[in-house]
Structure formats: C-alpha cells, structure tokens
Amino acid sequence: MGSLKVTLCAGAALVTALCAPAAYTYAADGGGVSVSPSSPAPGTAVTLRVPDCTEKTAVAVSAAFESDVRLSLAAGDGVLVGSSQVRTSVRAGAYAVQVKCGEQARKGTITVHDERRPSSHASPVAPVDAGGGGTAELAASDAGDGARVDPPGTAHTVTGLVLAGIAAVAVALRSVRSRSRGTD
C-alpha cells in the first residue's frame, strides 16, 4: 500500500508543477490575440480574434495594419473579431498587435513575410490523385469555417493531466491487486 501513496503524491506534485506555470502564462498574456493568417504578405487581408474579453467592442493597433482594427462580438461565443489589411509598404518582420480589453492589455504578434522570397506552400505541390474515400464530404464541409484558430488552452492541459493521473492510479491499483494475489 506504500507504493500507492507514493504514486498518488508524485502524481499530485506533477499536476501542481505543470499546471501552475500554464495558468500563470495564460493570465499574464490575458488570453492573447490571434491573427489569421499569422504570416501574411504585405497587402494581405487578416482576421483578428480576441477570446474572453469583458468588453463588447475593442480596437486592435499594430504598425503592420493600414489602420486600427475595430473588433466586435461574433456569434455569441464571447470572442471579439475584426478584419484589416496589412500595409503594402510594410517590411518583412514581426510586429506587435495590442488590444485594450477593459483593464487588460492583450498582445499578439503578426509576422509579415517577404513576398519575393518563396514561402512554404499551403497545400502539396504535387498531390497524389488518391480520391477522397468516405471522408471527402466531411473534409469539404469542414474547410476553413469551423477550423480552430487558437491553440489548445489551459483547460485542455488540465484535462490531459487529470486523465494521465487517473491512468497512473489505475496502473498502481492493478499492481497492488496482483501482488496481493501472489501473481506477477
């Protein structure tokens, strides 16, 4: 039974060590600002998203944009959304994007790439004509509109850690039961 206590204590310490920095990072950057596409060429239209803002409208500012971007609530999910265009005269490089959301300042980054330099392709250059199989209809209906723009957040991290802890406890209990029966 001693190994079970050690396993549980080690699991709790691991969860605490991994969750505290993730929660601090999320709180420090205020949830962030996502820009899509994140690496546009000069003159490209971009969409900004700011999750979990307490305001119904906000303004995003960046030296890369032609003008300030007015953000407003989208579809009742609590995400502020707005669109702008990257200045045609902007040079390649990383530019800060700032949004004042109530008392919090949200930050993000947009990396403008040089349109004369070749970049990676959005799709395969020479795709294999393999058909679509049974998933072709699903792939066509999910193209772009419902795609996730934001990376997994703190909730996903915590859920994964809880599931890993449950798995560790299950393995420990199974080993204790097999030892008590005399089998190995």
Side-chain angles (χ1 to χ4, degrees), residues 21-96:
Y24 176 76
T25 301
Y26 184 76
D29 70 3
V33 177
S34 66
V35 182
S36 178
S38 62
S39 184
T44 303
V46 292
T47 302
L48 283 74
R49 295 176 55 85
V50 180
D52 303 323
C53 183
T54 57
E55 303 295 319
K56 293 183 180 185
T57 61
V59 175
V61 179
S62 177
F65 300 144
E66 286 184 345
S67 62
D68 294 348
V69 183
R70 182 164 262 324
L71 305 170
S72 58
L73 280 176
D77 59 359
V79 177
L80 295 178
V81 178
S83 297
S84 184
Q85 193 162 358
V86 176
R87 289 186 301 132
T88 56
S89 61
V90 74
R91 292 182 179 220
Y95 293 87

Side-chain angles (χ1 to χ4, degrees), residues 7-22:
T7 303
L8 290 175
C9 289
L14 179 67
V15 169
T16 303
L18 293 176
C19 288

